[in-house]
Amino acid sequence: MTDYGHDLMFGAFITPGSADPKHVLDLAQEAEAAGLDLVTFQDHPYQPRFLDTWTLLSYVAARTERVRLSGNVLNLPLRPPAVLARAAASLDLLSGGRFELGLGAGGFRDAIAAMGGPSLTPAQSVDALSEAIDVIRGVWDAGNTARLRIDGAYHRVDGAKRGPAPAHDIGIWLGAYKPRMLRLVGGKADGWLPSLPYLDGVHRLAEGNAVIDEAAAAAGRDPAAVRRLLNIGGRFGSGGEEPFTGPPARWAEQLAELALEYGVSGFIAMADDPAFLRTFGQEVAPATRELVASARASAAPA
């Protein structure tokens, strides 16, 4: 069991529905008003029921002041990495350093192919994502005067100019579940961003952490350099046996356990209800922070 010591973050995972764009914006602004640290949107460019996530992120950045923004996670096969890198740096500059880059290898192959994207096997998708990270970091390395050249099997950059540099060190957070992707998280990424409903239990967090930590060490990295984030769902109420079904105090206890025993430091609530977001930001987040800070202080050496 591991606490990696990161400051805690609390966020919202909002559905980018195209039927009521104002509601989506209202939820993002509600999340900021509730004190949440992060607003995220899923990215499925082949889904006409959704707004385009990149356009939405840009619009929400212009209509908020403090909250950080990320895709959860952006569909790499339909977003060329060199162009994505410049777009990400630009949005980070325009928003005052409030953008983080959640990335996914692309899980819906038929839908991606229908939009003109590449048809890759799962293994090829991981390799393509690895190459894309190199391209993105190369573009952000604006202080390097050498032209960027990467001759990958899936992504090729032949003499591109670098820059602009983002306003802050943008985190690259990967949505990952299987060993090959988890090793990529440990080797190259800044964060692991899975969804709890897809993990089949919190014990999978420990298993994933072990793979990530081993890969990080093999790459000469400190495993603690990789932030662990988690998309969670649930409801507030009188209680229940399922995780995250109960009053805010019970949520705080469960989230503190995830932080202290499984190293999770970013909690992103999947919710499209303003009242839920207010409770999560104003009651659950501060209570969780207090529990974790107290436990860390007790565990610290004298």
Side-chain angles (χ1 to χ4, degrees):
M1 301 301 181
T2 304
D3 174 13
Y4 297 97
H6 293 275
D7 292 340
L8 300 188
M9 295 174 54
F10 295 83
F13 189 173
I14 298 169
T15 305
S18 60
D20 190 353
K22 183 178 182 301
H23 179 61
V24 179
L25 174 62
D26 288 345
L27 287 171
Q29 293 175 323
E30 187 68 55
E32 181 173 61
L36 293 177
D37 308 294
L38 180 68
V39 167
T40 73
F41 304 100
Q42 58 189 293
D43 181 38
H44 298 285
Y46 37 77
Q47 177 52 266
R49 292 187 294 107
F50 291 166
L51 297 166
D52 172 70
T53 297
W54 192 263
T55 306
L56 177 60
L57 286 166
S58 301
Y59 189 78
V60 171
R63 300 294 297 273
T64 53
E65 297 179 356
R66 177 194 55 80
V67 74
R68 295 158 75 178
L69 303 163
S70 179
N72 194 346
V73 288
L74 292 175
N75 186 296
L76 177 67
L78 291 174
R79 301 190 182 277
V83 176
L84 178 60
R86 288 211 168 101
S90 299
L91 185 53
D92 196 54
L93 289 164
L94 289 165
S95 66
R98 293 191 288 127
F99 182 73
E100 309 295 346
L101 185 58
L103 279 179
F108 296 89
R109 288 184 290 167
D110 291 344
I112 291 168
M115 288 286 287
S119 181
L120 303 177
T121 67
Q124 290 173 331
S125 296
V126 178
D127 291 340
L129 178 55
S130 178
E131 292 179 4
I133 292 174
D134 295 338
V135 172
I136 291 167
R137 294 202 191 280
V139 171
W140 289 344
D141 187 14
N144 188 338
T145 58
R147 294 292 184 98
L148 179 61
R149 288 183 169 83
I150 294 176
D151 188 16
Y154 306 97
H155 299 294
R156 186 170 180 267
V157 183
D158 188 11
K161 294 182 179 179
R162 302 174 190 261
H168 85 297
D169 289 334
I170 295 175
I172 296 179
W173 302 339
L174 302 188
Y177 298 93
K178 295 184 178 179
R180 191 181 180 94
M181 276 288 288
L182 292 171
R183 288 193 291 270
L184 179 58
V185 173
K188 291 188 177 182
D190 303 300
W192 177 31
L193 178 53
S195 296
L196 185 57
Y198 294 123
L199 283 175
D200 190 29
V202 295
H203 65 283
R204 297 292 186 189
L205 290 170
E207 296 172 5
N209 281 337
V211 177
I212 292 169
D213 292 354
E214 182 179 358
R221 308 178 69 204
D222 181 356
V226 182
R227 180 185 282 275
R228 321 298 158 110
L229 306 101
L230 187 65
N231 296 317
I232 55 175
R235 59 178 176 81
F236 297 117
S238 58
E241 296 299 324
E242 296 296 319
F244 308 114
T245 55
R250 183 166 183 249
W251 274 67
E253 292 171 355
Q254 293 174 333
L255 294 181
E257 180 182 1
L258 289 177
L260 297 167
E261 297 192 17
Y262 296 95
V264 180
S265 60
F267 303 100
I268 306 173
M270 299 181 286
D272 295 325
D273 176 19
F276 182 101
L277 295 176
R278 285 192 293 270
T279 301
F280 189 62
Q282 296 173 359
E283 298 185 45
V284 175
T288 306
R289 286 193 170 101
E290 183 176 345
L291 289 172
V292 171
S294 177
R296 286 174 173 173
S298 298

